[in-house]
Amino acid sequence: MVVTLAITLFASWAWGFTLNRVSLFALIFSIGILVDDAIVVVENIHRHLAMGGKHLLEAIPKAVDEVGGPTILATFTVIAALLPMAFVSGLMGPYMSPIPINAGMGMLISLAVAFIFTPWLTNRALANSAAGLAAHAENERGESRLSRFFQRVMNPFLGSGRARAMRWLLLAAILLLIAGSIALVANRTVVLKMLPFDNKSEFQVVLDMPEGTSLEQTTRVLSEIGDYLGGVAEVTDYQVYSGTSAPISFNGLVRQYYLRNGAHLGDIQVNLVEKSQRDRKSHEIALALRQPIQEIADRFGGNAKIVEVPPGPPVLSPLVAEIYGLDYSGQIEVAKEVRSTFDKVDGIVDVDDSVEYPSEKIILKVDRTKAARLGVPQSSVTQALATVLEGEDMGYLHGDNVKYAVPIRVEFSDADKADLTQLLSLRLKSQDGNLVPLSEIVEQVQSSRSHSIQHKDLLPVVYVTGDLAGETDSPLYGLFAISDRLLAESGIDQWFLSQPDNPYEYSLKWDGEWQVTYETFRDMGIAYSVGLLLIYLLVVAQFRSYLVPLVIMAPIPLTIIGILPGH
């Protein structure tokens, strides 16, 4: 096995794989299979010695030749079962492909080692003790305890008469066990989930305040959340980022948190003690802290979400509903209805959408007639407003020891900028030299800011996101609960497997963890079917029969009896 692993690692390096968790998992996954070929060869050499062979040089060629065909067949059937996994598409593709490639190379190498290196090493290591092994095997002949137990269990099912009824009873029991195992999924005893939760030493609190919130108010909310986090026993420290994003992380890369920049946005990076020094897992801690933190944010009109580090390919959010439609205002109304349904379903948390908070916008409209009569040009109005709001360099200070001139910048203070009365009291100089208040020549028009329009595949889209927290902790069950409720209450068209046929009709496309789950299970199912077909063809070629392979492959469905109760 050491020789096989060494050559396999070299082959992986030659293929271009790095030594990472996925490639190591491929080796660990196949490590039990890698020694099978050598075990079969050595065991058959031992059997030939027990059958009367006194010299290894005589027993080894016969023994290897005898098991060569079946060993090659067994190796290629396992490779055939794994190889289709290399063609899994989507986010899981790069995670899946090293497993069949590494395992397949390892098995081919183990086959070569079993036929070349193992016989040579057997002859070198056991040449002097071959006669003793043969004598020992002679003493072991006879019916063993295991053989007697096997006959006692199997004999009632062999033959005719009562044995026939026993065989039908055995078949009924097997079918009943399979049905019971599948029922574990139906009643959620075994939960379907794309990826298990990982016990990390960190998580993130993401705060969204309404657009227009001051940086000071956002900082105040973050400070209150931080004060609460400081009292949690498992929290070692935390860092508050107000008005900007935390340093880019795995979540920030895919969920685009690194683009969060604005006075109404904030992050808290929370670090936990080492998992060996705490009783609760990071997911349990996040579940316990979610409600108190959200209550703090709700008091100030904000929305706080606890974001855990995903164990694998991440998505925008575990639950993502994409709203498409004819016009963006209509999409927003549909998104509000969908978000309301998210809030009504038990266990759905961290509900949010991509619609910006409706903020007030005041348009100052110049009364051209009055401005002309008072001798104030419109350009003076716009220039004055730009100066007090954005600032303007009025001059420069020069010094003997200063390399660059220092600009003299004039603008209103932040408090005066927020006070419309202060802006309207600004006096402008008319053409005849008189000072005219801005309020005399402009009128206020109440309006609201336009929403930013997000696009996906060149189509405008509104996102509604959420997560599921509770007993199942699998977003798939939350998705189907929301889907059923939407179907009963609104009747909106929902698409699960593909984009809407007509994106100009209001419709909903489910994305997030569901999309990754569907693509992975679809590709894995196809790979599984192709693997079974390849195995069947290999066994047909070996036994020259179409029925014998079916008998050999009959136990495959029985794995359900072990897999599901095991989970």
Side-chain angles (χ1 to χ4, degrees):
M1 186 179 70
V2 175
V3 175
T4 301
L5 287 177
I7 302 176
T8 302
L9 288 172
F10 173 78
S12 297
W13 169 81
W15 190 276
F17 287 128
T18 59
L19 197 62
N20 52 59
R21 287 183 294 176
V22 179
S23 57
L24 285 176
F25 170 75
L27 293 177
I28 295 170
F29 168 77
S30 59
I31 199 167
I33 309 174
L34 296 182
V35 298
D36 283 351
D37 295 343
I39 289 174
V40 170
V41 170
V42 173
E43 179 65 26
N44 205 44
I45 293 172
H46 182 274
R47 188 178 70 88
H48 273 261
L49 292 175
M51 293 169 57
K54 300 300 182 182
H55 299 285
L56 282 171
L57 292 178
E58 295 178 2
I60 287 176
K62 296 179 181 179
V64 174
D65 180 66
E66 191 174 51
V67 298
T71 305
I72 294 172
L73 175 64
T75 301
F76 277 96
T77 53
V78 176
I79 294 175
L82 296 176
L83 191 58
M85 291 172 57
F87 302 97
V88 173
S89 62
L91 280 174
M92 290 300 294
Y95 288 80
M96 290 289 187
S97 58
I99 298 175
I101 296 174
N102 263 326
M105 287 192 302
M107 296 199 64
L108 289 175
I109 293 169
S110 73
L111 185 65
V113 169
F115 287 163
I116 300 171
F117 181 79
T118 300
W120 171 82
L121 185 61
T122 302
N123 181 56
R124 296 281 296 181
L126 303 179
N128 298 327
S129 56
L133 288 173
H136 177 69
E138 288 285 347
N139 297 330
E140 288 183 347
R141 286 186 179 181
E143 194 175 78
S144 64
R145 182 180 303 174
L146 183 62
S147 177
R148 291 193 299 270
F149 172 77
F150 179 79
Q151 291 180 10
R152 187 163 58 250
V153 172
M154 295 303 299
N155 282 341
F157 298 98
L158 304 177
S160 57
R162 186 171 179 273
R164 185 186 300 274
M166 291 292 291
R167 289 195 293 271
W168 281 107
L169 184 63
L170 177 62
L171 177 61
I174 291 173
L175 295 177
L176 185 63
L177 288 173
I178 292 176
S181 300
I182 297 175
L184 295 176
V185 177
N187 61 21
R188 300 189 185 181
T189 304
V190 176
V191 176
L192 293 177
K193 183 170 172 57
M194 180 63 205
L195 294 165
F197 289 108
D198 203 356
N199 189 11
K200 297 290 187 180
S201 295
E202 61 175 303
F203 64 85
Q204 197 172 352
V205 179
V206 177
L207 176 66
D208 296 325
M209 297 295 290
E211 277 77 1
T213 303
S214 65
L215 182 63
E216 293 77 9
Q217 180 70 359
T218 303
T219 305
R220 178 187 175 190
V221 180
L222 291 171
S223 298
E224 291 212 14
I225 296 175
D227 292 340
Y228 172 77
L229 290 171
V232 179
E234 293 91 346
V235 175
T236 58
D237 55 76
Y238 60 90
Q239 300 89 39
V240 175
Y241 300 89
S242 182
T244 186
S245 62
I248 190 168
S249 62
F250 197 43
N251 276 321
L253 181 64
V254 176
R255 299 188 180 188
Q256 300 180 352
Y257 287 164
Y258 66 95
L259 296 176
R260 291 169 53 84
N261 187 16
H264 62 288
L265 302 174
D267 292 351
I268 301 180
Q269 177 67 35
V270 184
N271 299 319
L272 306 175
V273 298
E274 287 294 328
K275 53 188 176 183
S276 59
Q277 301 176 12
R278 48 184 161 88
D279 296 329
R280 294 191 296 179
K281 296 182 178 180
S282 60
H283 178 64
E284 296 174 359
I285 297 172
L287 285 177
L289 299 183
R290 178 174 275 110
Q291 184 175 354
I293 289 176
Q294 286 179 339
E295 290 176 354
I296 295 174
D298 288 341
R299 290 205 310 266
F300 299 93
N303 184 6
K305 299 183 285 291
I306 290 185
V307 183
E308 301 177 60
V309 179
V315 288
L316 180 63
S317 187
L319 286 172
V320 178
E322 300 173 355
I323 311 300
Y324 296 94
L326 181 61
D327 64 291
Y328 205 66
S329 59
Q331 290 175 247
I332 292 175
E333 293 302 319
V334 175
K336 290 179 179 178
E337 184 180 351
V338 173
R339 177 169 180 170
S340 175
T341 305
F342 269 62
D343 291 325
K344 294 176 184 177
V345 175
D346 293 336
I348 302 298
V349 297
D350 293 344
V351 180
D352 200 0
D353 56 50
S354 61
V355 181
E356 297 169 342
Y357 187 82
S359 55
E360 183 183 9
K361 179 180 179 181
I362 299 177
I363 300 175
L364 298 180
K365 186 176 180 181
V366 180
D367 188 334
R368 298 182 180 181
T369 303
K370 186 179 291 187
R373 188 168 62 248
L374 294 174
V376 179
Q378 296 185 53
S379 59
S380 298
V381 177
T382 56
Q383 183 180 359
L385 287 175
T387 299
V388 298
L389 293 177
E390 299 179 2
E392 183 178 346
D393 296 338
M394 296 297 181
Y396 295 89
L397 292 176
H398 301 274
D400 296 336
N401 299 321
V402 179
K403 184 176 181 180
Y404 299 104
V406 179
I408 303 173
R409 193 168 187 82
V410 176
E411 64 178 295
F412 270 17
S413 65
D414 290 339
D416 290 338
K417 290 179 183 179
D419 187 358
L420 186 60
T421 305
Q422 291 287 342
L423 292 177
L424 295 178
S425 65
L426 180 68
R427 294 178 177 271
L428 305 179
K429 190 175 182 179
S430 64
Q431 292 179 352
D432 57 6
N434 295 324
L435 296 178
V436 179
L438 186 62
S439 57
E440 290 290 329
I441 55 176
V442 299
E443 60 176 316
Q444 303 178 35
V445 179
Q446 299 291 332
S447 180
S448 59
R449 292 184 181 179
S450 300
H451 293 286
S452 299
I453 301 179
Q454 299 196 35
H455 290 78
K456 181 177 180 180
D457 297 334
L458 303 180
L459 293 173
V461 61
V462 177
Y463 295 103
V464 180
T465 59
D467 198 355
L468 183 70
E471 295 182 0
T472 56
D473 268 331
S474 175
L476 297 181
Y477 298 102
L479 183 149
F480 294 130
I482 297 171
S483 175
D484 293 341
R485 193 152 190 161
L486 283 173
L487 193 61
E489 295 179 355
S490 65
I492 183 174
D493 288 340
Q494 301 180 55
W495 297 77
F496 292 88
L497 308 182
S498 62
Q499 293 295 113
D501 289 339
N502 186 356
Y504 299 106
E505 293 182 355
Y506 294 117
S507 54
L508 183 154
K509 166 66 174 68
W510 288 105
D511 202 87
E513 189 168 308
W514 156 256
Q515 187 68 28
V516 180
T517 303
Y518 162 70
E519 290 178 353
T520 303
F521 276 71
R522 176 199 63 195
D523 294 347
M524 290 290 289
I526 296 173
Y528 186 73
S529 303
V530 173
L532 289 178
L533 179 62
L534 291 176
I535 292 173
Y536 178 78
L537 295 177
L538 286 170
V539 181
V540 166
Q542 172 69 21
F543 290 97
R544 302 293 193 273
S545 169
Y546 293 105
L547 183 61
V548 172
L550 295 177
V551 177
I552 294 174
M553 298 173 65
I556 293 177
L558 305 185
T559 56
I560 296 176
I561 301 174
I563 291 172
L564 291 176
H567 277 77

